[in-house]
Amino acid sequence: MIASKTLIGTLSVAAAFLALTTPARADGEVNIYSYRQPDLIQPLLDAFTKETGITANVLFLDKGLVERIQAEGANSPADVILTVDISRLTEAKNAGVTQPLVNETINKDIPAHFRDPDGNWFGLTTRGRVVYASKERVAQNDITYEELADPKWKGKFCTRDGQHSYNVGLFASMIAHHGEAETEKWLTGLRDNLSKKPDGGDRDQAKAIFAGECDIALGNSYYVGLMLTNEKEPEQKEWASAIKVLFPNAKDRGTHVNISGMALAKNAPNKENAVKLMEFLSAGEAQKIYAEQVFEYPVLPGAEPSEVVKSFGTIKPDSLPLAEVAANRKKASELVDKIGYNDGPQD
């Protein structure tokens, strides 16, 4: 069995990991390959073990997870894949390392637009791609994605790299809603409103607003919760306190959301336990624990987010199927390069 502890590594430590294993099939155990940080999912797994008696073993990989499972082939110990972002989930499906699962319990808990039509992946929590706005310099309390290209924001807008998965997902959703030609015009307007070349992460955009380098920025909603509760780097609390969260398109189609999710591994040796874990993760208790841990929104209808997340305001998620967003990611990435988004403003 996999050692009953979290193992951290990448493909470079494959031999070391395999040395710790005996046959992957083990009664009363389930093996998880995770892109998500172990400390974020451990409370979930503790609750699962308490309820079922099944031991959950985790291998954390910050990169190369799909390649790892491919290299292991039919003998892979992986039962369940946990990851963030629709791109990671579709990557796993397209690489052939998942298997379809038709499960009445999971399908009842998770709305159709948050799961793969073929049953190869399922969303667990969502995060909004929101607008961070300066409390001091931005009076309005509602906004649309389309408005971000308005020249009134010229020199006042900042983002991370346009090719980052979070931004590509948003841009892909714009293609789904408006078509490629209109999205190219919109992206060009976005680029021309930038105060500087895209850089840093989402937290850095909040920092830039705090420093007066820009007034609005794109960022994921959960980073605000992480900053507000960061005791190790208290300066981040100042960044978060300087911004307000605006949910774009709240009055029409809703805010673009991305997901953390799960998939059943193709050769899951402990399939029965894997399905039990996936059913557990889609249900009420786990949805509450997970959402509170990561400052995200549960996908289970009626489940409540944490008090910190509630303080941001109410999110109306865009109901566009994430599979449709995923289908437009390549075009979105190509547009980012075509217009030179990462070069910053052109004049």
Side-chain angles (χ1 to χ4, degrees):
M1 72 183 87
I2 294 179
S4 296
K5 61 182 179 180
T6 299
L7 297 168
I8 301 177
T10 63
L11 282 170
S12 62
V13 298
F17 175 74
L18 291 174
L20 291 173
T21 68
T22 55
R25 175 73 176 89
D27 290 336
E29 301 205 6
V30 63
N31 303 322
I32 302 158
Y33 279 31
S34 176
Y35 269 124
R36 191 129 227 187
Q37 293 283 351
D39 58 323
L40 294 179
I41 61 173
Q42 195 57 52
L44 281 172
L45 303 182
D46 290 344
F48 172 70
T49 299
K50 182 178 180 180
E51 179 175 306
T52 65
I54 298 170
T55 299
N57 306 309
V58 182
L59 173 66
F60 167 64
L61 293 148
D62 58 358
K63 58 184 177 180
L65 185 150
V66 166
E67 292 83 357
R68 172 64 171 271
I69 298 175
Q70 287 176 318
E72 292 169 342
N75 294 320
S76 175
D79 292 312
V80 175
I81 299 168
L82 291 181
T83 186
V84 293
D85 197 84
I86 182 63
S87 66
R88 298 282 199 185
L89 291 165
T90 54
E91 175 194 21
K93 176 185 175 181
N94 293 338
V97 300
T98 64
Q99 60 174 295
L101 175 64
V102 179
N103 183 283
E104 184 177 339
T105 299
I106 297 173
N107 288 351
K108 180 174 174 288
D109 289 339
I110 300 175
H113 56 287
F114 291 141
R115 47 185 162 88
D116 176 46
D118 300 322
N120 279 271
W121 52 259
F122 304 86
L124 290 174
T125 58
T126 69
R127 77 289 293 268
R129 195 68 180 151
V130 300
V131 170
Y132 300 164
S134 168
K135 288 179 179 177
E136 289 185 356
R137 301 183 299 278
V138 177
Q140 66 190 72
N141 291 312
D142 58 80
I143 202 165
T144 66
Y145 292 117
E146 290 78 6
E147 184 189 334
L148 297 177
D150 190 310
K152 74 178 184 180
W153 299 114
K154 189 173 181 63
K156 299 179 180 180
F157 174 63
C158 54
T159 71
R160 71 192 305 162
D161 191 315
Q163 288 291 5
H164 190 278
S165 179
Y166 300 156
N167 283 335
V168 171
L170 170 61
F171 303 160
S173 78
M174 294 295 284
I175 293 174
H177 285 297
H178 297 297
E180 192 171 347
E182 284 301 310
T183 301
E184 181 176 345
K185 292 179 185 177
W186 174 77
L187 265 178
T188 301
L190 228 60
R191 178 204 66 196
D192 290 344
N193 282 344
L194 287 165
S195 63
K196 56 189 178 72
K197 288 185 178 182
D199 65 354
D202 284 0
R203 294 186 222 211
D204 292 299
Q205 311 317 313
K207 181 182 180 181
I209 292 173
F210 172 76
E213 296 174 9
C214 54
D215 291 350
I216 59 172
L218 285 171
N220 279 351
S221 54
Y222 70 91
Y223 282 114
V224 182
L226 292 173
M227 289 186 288
L228 284 172
T229 57
N230 193 328
E231 300 297 337
K232 293 182 179 179
E233 300 176 74
E235 67 273 15
Q236 291 193 14
K237 293 184 179 182
E238 292 186 280
W239 308 345
S241 296
I243 65 173
K244 55 186 174 181
V245 175
L246 305 184
F247 295 101
N249 299 84
K251 295 181 179 179
D252 48 72
R253 68 175 179 273
T255 300
H256 169 67
V257 296
N258 210 321
I259 56 173
S260 69
M262 62 182 177
L264 181 62
K266 180 180 180 180
N267 297 298
N270 304 289
K271 184 174 180 179
E272 183 178 344
N273 290 344
V275 173
K276 287 180 180 177
L277 173 61
M278 294 174 73
E279 289 177 339
F280 175 81
L281 292 176
S282 74
E285 180 186 2
Q287 286 280 293
K288 183 176 186 296
I289 295 171
Y290 201 7
E292 288 183 348
Q293 281 290 115
V294 297
F295 298 103
E296 294 180 347
Y297 298 88
V299 297
L300 178 69
E304 294 287 329
S306 71
E307 292 302 315
V308 172
V309 173
K310 285 181 183 178
S311 73
F312 306 159
T314 303
I315 188 171
K316 174 187 174 183
D318 188 344
S319 61
L320 182 72
L322 287 179
E324 196 171 336
V325 174
N328 285 297
R329 290 182 65 88
K330 185 174 184 294
K331 288 180 182 177
S333 176
E334 290 169 352
L335 284 182
V336 170
D337 285 342
K338 182 179 179 181
I339 66 147
Y341 184 89
N342 285 338
D343 295 331
Q346 303 296 295
D347 53 20

